Amino acid sequence: MNRPLVPLLQAAALMAAVSFAVPGRSQNSDFNLNVHAHAEATAKDIGLPLYPGATPFKEKDSDSSSADLGLVLNSFHFGLKAASFVTTDPPARVLDFYRKPLAKYGQVLECDHGKPVGSLTVTKSGLTCGERKNGKMTVSGSDSGHELRAGTPEQFRIVGIDNTEKGQTKFGLVALVLPKDDDR
């Protein structure tokens, strides 16, 4: 999650001024479009608690450390809520803290550099560290970083360690809703 979260937050900042809904329901029409983009999302919005003592992390050129994006076009649904934080605690302690809250979304899968850690390589719901499994779409695994995932391939949470430097651990919380894969 080292680099993927930053571009998402930057895109969200650009789109923050855009927030509209066009309920395109007219006579004999099934067209429905709803788009939203907000530059703010909290750990609570993502469905996870805030790590004790953590503070929002802001890039030097950005006013925001979070994003809330959504797109609904008929049956196509995409949603992203992401927030970056920093703490002086080590990465292992942050990941250990989030294991129990993530478990309410299903089995917790641990990934390192996009590869599973331990014996669990795919959850009962089909969630992986990023490959396609049984026709279900997931987000590509991170090139670097350590993360925990829980949920289903179409709707899941991620807690990822972005980096550690100068005695600080930067981590991100993400909630994703992905469109269902029609390649089945």
Side-chain angles (χ1 to χ4, degrees), residues 121-122 125-128 130-138 153 181:
T121 60
V122 59
S125 68
L127 184 65
T128 68
E131 314 88 38
R132 285 181 164 286
K133 267 297 197 215
N134 300 327
K136 294 185 179 181
M137 184 169 75
T138 66
D181 192 357

Side-chain angles (χ1 to χ4, degrees), residues 42-175:
T42 65
K44 184 177 179 180
D45 295 336
I46 293 166
L48 294 169
L50 179 60
Y51 185 81
T55 57
F57 175 84
K58 294 187 181 186
E59 294 288 337
K60 293 176 186 172
D61 299 336
S62 176
D63 291 337
S64 181
S65 62
S66 64
D68 178 358
L69 307 171
L71 170 67
V72 175
L73 177 60
N74 294 334
S75 64
F76 177 91
H77 293 248
F78 171 80
L80 166 74
K81 292 180 184 181
S84 292
F85 299 94
V86 67
T87 181
T88 56
D89 289 345
R93 189 175 292 165
V94 174
L95 292 174
D96 285 344
F97 173 83
Y98 280 107
R99 287 181 195 280
K100 186 175 180 180
L102 278 170
K104 75 179 182 180
Y105 297 104
Q107 288 180 296
V108 178
L109 180 63
E110 186 170 351
C111 307
D112 189 18
H113 295 84
K115 304 288 184 210
V117 173
S119 60
L120 183 63
T121 60
V122 59
T123 66
K124 290 177 185 174
S125 68
L127 184 65
T128 68
C129 287
E131 314 88 38
R132 285 181 164 286
K133 267 297 197 215
N134 300 327
K136 294 185 179 181
M137 184 169 75
T138 66
V139 170
S140 295
S142 165
D143 290 352
S144 61
H146 205 107
E147 59 188 45
L148 302 175
R149 293 177 173 211
T152 68
E154 289 86 18
Q155 187 169 355
F156 58 101
R157 306 293 188 284
I158 300 172
V159 175
I161 301 299
D162 282 339
N163 61 26
T164 303
E165 56 185 59
K166 299 179 186 172
Q168 292 193 323
T169 300
K170 180 181 165 197
F171 66 97
L173 306 179
V174 179

